[in-house]
């Protein structure tokens, strides 16, 4: 699928290449934990009470895959990881607000908001940080429950 990327889930969650307990001496120290992630166009913007992340796919197959992932993972912690040259630049865990996922005709829209002023400021600060990372050329990956659901090559 030309509109998807291969991502290593372990490096996204901070687990690195840790050896699982119980691995025998003959087993490789690192077992890849790869997943195909739909490639999309991602837009982040501030809104009243927080921020809105819009993911759009041109390819109908990638769009359906992303929407299915979002539907399955909805309700889990929402986070965005920004990567540059294979290294994580920043990861914003949006735990300080309530995240709501809505399907659109060409993707999905995740709205993270909070009624608390301090939490709203943190969410909007994350929006500013991730927008700056995308403008600088970072790859951004939207995750739900630690599972990548879409990725943007800016």
């Amino acid at each position: 699928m030309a509109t998807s990327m291969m991502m290593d889930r372990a490096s996204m969650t901070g687990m690195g290449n840790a050896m699982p307990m119980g691995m025998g001496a003959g087993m490789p120290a690192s077992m890849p934990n790869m997943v195909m992630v739909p490639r999309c166009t991602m837009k982040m913007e501030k809104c009243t009470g927080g921020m809105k992340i819009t993911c759009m796919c041109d390819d109908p197959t990638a769009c359906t895959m992303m929407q299915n992932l979002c539907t399955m993972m909805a309700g889990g912690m929402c986070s965005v990881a920004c990567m540059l040259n294979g290294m994580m630049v920043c990861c914003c865990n949006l735990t300080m607000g309530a995240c709501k996922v809505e399907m659109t005709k060409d993707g999905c829209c995740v709205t993270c908001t909070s009624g608390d002023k301090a939490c709203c400021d943190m969410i909007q600060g994350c929006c500013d940080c991730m927008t700056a990372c995308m403008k600088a050329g970072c790859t951004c990956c939207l995750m739900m429950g630690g599972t990548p659901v879409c990725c943007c090559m800016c």
Side-chain angles (χ1 to χ4, degrees):
M1 182 188 307
T3 56
S4 64
M5 305 178 60
M6 192 67 100
M7 301 290 292
D8 180 4
R9 289 178 59 187
S11 68
M12 301 293 293
T13 59
M15 295 296 288
N17 290 327
M19 178 183 260
M21 303 252 330
M23 296 280 293
M27 297 295 286
S30 154
M31 300 287 289
N33 190 7
M34 305 298 267
V35 63
M36 281 297 240
V37 181
R39 192 173 294 180
C40 69
T41 302
M42 196 178 293
K43 184 175 87 173
M44 297 181 199
E45 59 188 331
K46 294 179 186 178
C47 65
T48 304
M51 69 176 289
K52 186 183 289 192
I53 304 168
T54 307
C55 300
M56 300 158 288
C57 292
D58 294 333
D59 179 49
T61 304
C63 181
T64 301
M65 181 182 177
M66 178 181 55
Q67 289 176 335
N68 288 338
L69 283 167
C70 287
T71 300
M72 287 187 298
M73 302 309 296
M77 182 181 74
C78 185
S79 58
V80 180
C82 297
M83 312 277 285
L84 186 64
N85 297 328
M87 299 290 293
M88 189 177 306
V89 175
C90 90
C91 181
C92 292
N93 296 313
L94 300 167
T95 58
M96 67 291 280
C99 295
K100 180 177 69 171
V101 182
E102 298 174 272
M103 300 307 149
T104 61
K105 68 177 177 66
D106 59 351
C108 71
C109 180
V110 179
T111 308
C112 294
T113 57
S114 176
D116 182 73
K117 171 79 170 108
C119 290
C120 173
D121 290 345
M122 285 191 283
I123 294 168
Q124 291 184 344
C126 287
C127 181
D128 290 338
C129 177
M130 292 181 287
T131 300
C133 287
M134 286 197 308
K135 284 181 182 174
C138 286
T139 299
C140 289
C141 184
L142 174 66
M143 295 180 287
M144 291 183 186
T147 299
V149 294
C150 68
C151 211
C152 168
M153 299 280 291
C154 301

